[in-house]
Amino acid sequence: MEYGLRLTDPAVVPPDPREAFPPQWRGMLPDGRAVALYFGTEFCEDRLPDADAALRCCELAREHDLEPTLATPLVSPQGLERIDRLLAAIVEGGHHPAVVFNDWGVLELVRARQPTLPLRAGRLVNRSLRDPRGYRDAPSGAATHDGARYARVRSLLRDLGVAALETDADLEGGFLGDGDGDARPLGRALHLPFTYAASGRGCPLKAALYPEGGGFAKAFADPCPAPCHGKPLPVHRPDTALPHWRAGNTLFYELPRDAAHSWLSRTDRIVVHEAPAP
Amino acid sequence: MKILAPLRCSDEVLPLSDAGAGEFYCGIAPPGWDEEFGSAAVHRRSSRSAGVPDLADLRRIVDRAGGRPVFATLNAPSYPSAAIPRLVEFGRALVEDEGVAALIVAELELVLAFAEAGLASRVHLSSLATCRNPGAAAFFRGLGIARVILPRHVTLAEIEATAIPGLEWEAFLMNDGCTFEEGTCSTTHAFTPYCIDDRVGETQNRLDERYAFWRWTLDNCGSQTSRGFTLGPCGLCALPRLAAIGIASLKVVGREAPLARKVASVRLAAHALEVAGGGGSREAIRDAVVALRGAPQLCEGAHLCYYPDVWADRLPAQRARPSAGGFRRIPIADRS
């Protein structure tokens, strides 16, 4: 198993990637070394780093012999242009990051403008059910693995030059496939321990920056200074016992460990999230 | 621009046509679906509460629509692998034998399967596919689909930039908002809507009240006016902008809603479209809507707007940030 690191502070790289997990997770995870340092954002274009911050992350990755891996979210037209400029600056700075795309426009952009950068399909490409309330009826949370699911999508991704698939554990199973008998199987990465439940543009933390009557839909296009940076907010829900957090515009929950376990045999990389972050 | 109305059965076609509907959409499950695939919803709604009862009634719908296009939803976010060939076969029968004009599809695997079957030109991409920029639009255009349904949470400026040539474009017009982006909400209403119980954090504060108010407007304010109109999300004042962009279809939401609500919504939309067609400004449209519907207060604050940027010059601006040193992080407890 290899590990990708999504750290709260990318300058503090643990010697064993499992140290970035909560203690109760460490014992169930296989040995392996970190190979990639993730930065950027999967859920909110306002949290895309500027060029300086991105270059710092790339430098840190280089220092630790890790592949810099830029996560990108669904984006507006302006966000797409911002990613174009960001990638140009990173490449001009002498780096060659992998790009995790969650938006088909970003995929097209990278293929057209930075075709040598490795591409990874992000976890929003998988639209399978992750409802945390689904685990109450299936305590083991072991989704049935049907490797035929999404076979056409995987084939398309291979044809488009994508190197790997990333996903959360979901309740339907099968997204990562079985290699599909291909000579160039897609890499398979599992994000742990925080699964995203729901995300959107109507961010309450952003709304707090506006006077009464503002924010939410009235502010979709406004740039946000990302007051969500820092600690995610614990959220209590009456309908599930799984721990929840609000991280800006996205709700995450801690996946039941048994559910994660059932996915490990079909995974080549674990992307460790030290904290839930959009 | 045509008003796209939701349907649940053939009895609804004529009243909605009379109210101004120019297109229809409905959900229908393949015969035997429940026995084979259990509770996996084929069109994101319960077949009992929102679906057309059977193919015979679908045929009556197409017949009564009198040439107005009828679209069928096969728009679950994901399906079991065994369902894909079944849905392709069913979708082919709908468009080739039953007179359905196009299929509304969300899952990329199913879009690709329809493309393999030579049916891409009969596919409308669901809002769940979250096509939000011109690059994504080009990607989907490359698959050969006919129409893109824009997500709810886009601005008019974003629509202008995204609506590239070579595709038809459909935009949300009325009713039933979503707290989260539909395509990135990985939960199911089968457990009740996940957003209903959402709170900002563990501690209730003023921000929770504002968040709850927003969600209440998205949920049609839980009510309708004394004149029978829904107090839900609405994009009517944006009609001139949507027309200028070249939007072809204006979606009225709510397959499962009572017919009276559907008719009232389509009637209101048709009235606004008439005002817009006559060169009416955003103010003229708003005044016409309020005169027919009532509830002016919700329009004054742009609280119901699907596209509030049509009122951009009147919207509350972000509070001034502290100067040059960067943004000061405000503790949650103080953010009210």
Side-chain angles (χ1 to χ4, degrees):
Chain A
M1 185 70 75
E2 63 181 34
Y3 285 84
L5 299 172
R6 181 76 162 86
L7 302 171
T8 305
D9 178 356
V12 184
V13 176
D16 183 332
R18 290 173 293 186
E19 289 176 24
F21 274 95
Q24 62 271 25
W25 280 80
R26 294 172 191 165
M28 65 167 277
L29 296 168
D31 284 337
R33 73 179 189 91
V35 298
L37 183 66
Y38 283 61
F39 62 101
T41 171
E42 300 165 273
F43 296 97
C44 177
E45 69 181 65
D46 287 315
R47 292 203 25 158
L48 282 166
D50 61 23
D52 288 344
L55 287 167
R56 277 197 301 277
C57 287
C58 291
E59 291 294 343
L60 286 167
R62 183 176 283 166
E63 285 171 19
H64 291 90
D65 195 23
L66 301 171
E67 180 182 50
T69 303
L70 173 66
T72 62
L74 283 166
V75 287
S76 66
Q78 294 77 11
L80 196 62
E81 292 170 5
R82 188 170 166 190
I83 290 174
D84 189 18
R85 293 192 297 273
L86 180 60
L87 288 174
I90 293 172
V91 170
E92 195 172 308
H95 298 283
H96 194 255
V99 179
V100 177
F101 67 90
N102 284 290
D103 187 301
W104 298 104
V106 174
L107 169 68
E108 293 288 81
L109 172 79
V110 176
R111 293 182 70 234
R113 306 271 291 173
Q114 306 290 350
T116 64
L117 298 183
L119 279 160
R120 306 178 67 86
R123 52 178 156 167
L124 293 182
V125 171
N126 177 10
R127 298 293 173 92
S128 303
L129 189 69
R130 296 153 165 91
D131 196 316
R133 298 166 297 180
Y135 289 102
R136 66 187 173 192
D137 296 327
S140 74
T144 303
H145 180 81
D146 174 3
R149 288 187 72 232
Y150 286 98
R152 291 174 185 81
V153 173
R154 290 192 295 269
S155 177
L156 174 72
L157 292 171
R158 267 193 300 273
D159 290 348
L160 295 173
V162 174
L165 286 173
E166 305 204 340
T167 188
D168 294 307
D170 63 56
L171 285 153
E172 295 173 278
F175 181 75
L176 294 174
D178 291 319
D180 297 331
D182 192 272
R184 298 175 295 109
L186 292 162
R188 301 169 300 175
L190 182 67
H191 287 244
L192 293 174
F194 306 111
T195 296
Y196 105 88
S199 183
R201 300 181 82 183
C203 178
L205 301 192
K206 182 178 179 181
L209 305 172
Y210 292 78
E212 194 83 24
F216 299 111
K218 298 168 198 168
F220 282 161
D222 292 357
C224 177
C228 52
H229 272 296
K231 281 188 72 173
L233 300 172
V235 174
H236 171 73
R237 291 187 61 95
D239 51 4
T240 169
L242 297 180
H244 271 63
W245 292 268
R246 171 178 302 288
N249 67 340
T250 305
L251 286 162
F252 293 91
Y253 61 93
E254 184 175 332
L255 185 71
R257 291 193 294 284
D258 286 349
H261 194 265
S262 70
W263 284 69
L264 293 179
S265 64
R266 308 180 197 284
T267 302
D268 310 309
R269 174 185 292 189
I270 294 171
V271 182
V272 189
H273 291 258
E274 196 168 20
Chain B
M1 292 191 290
K2 292 179 179 172
I3 297 169
L4 172 61
L7 283 176
R8 193 170 52 176
C9 67
S10 56
D11 291 344
E12 297 182 332
V13 175
L14 295 179
L16 287 166
S17 294
D18 290 345
E23 300 175 322
F24 300 99
Y25 69 102
C26 57
I28 183 165
W33 176 268
D34 288 352
E35 290 76 8
E36 196 167 351
F37 297 106
S39 60
V42 69
H43 52 78
R44 292 189 72 230
R45 298 287 189 281
S46 159
S47 289
R48 287 178 195 84
S49 64
V52 172
D54 51 34
L55 282 169
D57 201 52
L58 180 70
R59 289 181 198 117
R60 282 191 290 275
I61 286 171
V62 171
D63 183 52
R64 291 178 186 178
R68 293 178 176 86
V70 176
F71 311 128
T73 53
L74 301 172
N75 62 340
S78 65
Y79 293 102
S81 62
I84 299 293
R86 184 76 186 286
L87 291 169
V88 169
E89 177 192 11
F90 182 60
R92 181 185 293 283
L94 291 179
V95 297
E96 293 184 351
D97 304 331
E98 306 297 348
V100 167
L103 308 164
I104 299 171
V105 183
E107 195 205 34
L108 182 58
E109 182 76 5
L110 185 56
V111 173
L112 295 172
F114 278 125
E116 270 177 22
L119 294 169
S121 65
R122 306 298 287 273
V123 168
H124 292 181
L125 188 74
S126 162
S127 56
L128 271 82
T130 332
C131 178
R132 275 180 37 188
N133 59 63
F139 171 82
F140 289 114
R141 183 177 59 186
L143 300 180
I145 62 166
R147 178 186 285 190
V148 172
I149 305 167
L150 289 154
R152 282 182 170 85
H153 292 178
V154 288
T155 68
L156 292 166
E158 290 166 358
I159 295 174
E160 279 164 355
T162 301
I164 61 174
L167 288 163
E168 270 192 351
W169 293 90
E170 178 181 318
F172 279 82
L173 188 67
M174 294 192 72
N175 302 339
D176 300 356
C178 273
T179 303
F180 300 106
E181 176 71 60
E182 265 183 302
T184 57
C185 179
S186 66
T187 69
T188 171
H189 284 201
F191 296 135
T192 71
Y194 182 74
C195 51
I196 283 180
D197 286 319
D198 191 29
R199 304 288 179 271
V200 177
E202 282 190 311
T203 309
Q204 294 278 326
N205 62 27
R206 185 82 185 97
L207 186 54
D208 272 297
E209 291 178 24
R210 291 176 56 190
Y211 186 36
F213 176 79
W214 184 54
R215 285 184 282 126
W216 178 72
T217 63
L218 298 173
D219 192 26
N220 305 311
C221 302
S223 61
Q224 57 186 22
T225 68
S226 58
R227 302 171 198 172
F229 291 99
T230 303
L231 283 174
C234 165
L236 296 175
C237 296
L239 283 171
R241 290 274 300 274
L242 294 170
I245 293 167
I247 298 298
S249 180
L250 304 162
K251 189 186 199 79
V252 174
V253 184
R255 278 178 271 158
E256 67 277 29
L259 176 60
R261 189 188 100 158
K262 295 175 189 171
V263 169
S265 299
V266 170
R267 189 158 68 90
L268 192 63
H271 183 53
L273 196 55
E274 190 179 338
V275 176
S281 64
R282 61 182 186 174
E283 287 84 2
I285 296 169
R286 182 195 57 196
D287 292 348
V289 166
V290 167
L292 187 58
R293 182 202 67 194
Q297 302 87 343
L298 288 165
C299 288
E300 284 163 13
H303 296 306
L304 298 182
C305 291
Y306 260 128
Y307 311 105
D309 52 326
V310 75
W311 301 104
D313 52 324
R314 300 186 187 181
L315 296 179
Q318 207 171 100
R319 291 179 175 118
R321 283 190 254 160
S323 60
F327 179 71
R328 182 175 61 88
R329 297 207 179 105
I330 305 168
I332 289 294
D334 296 339
R335 288 183 182 143
S336 57

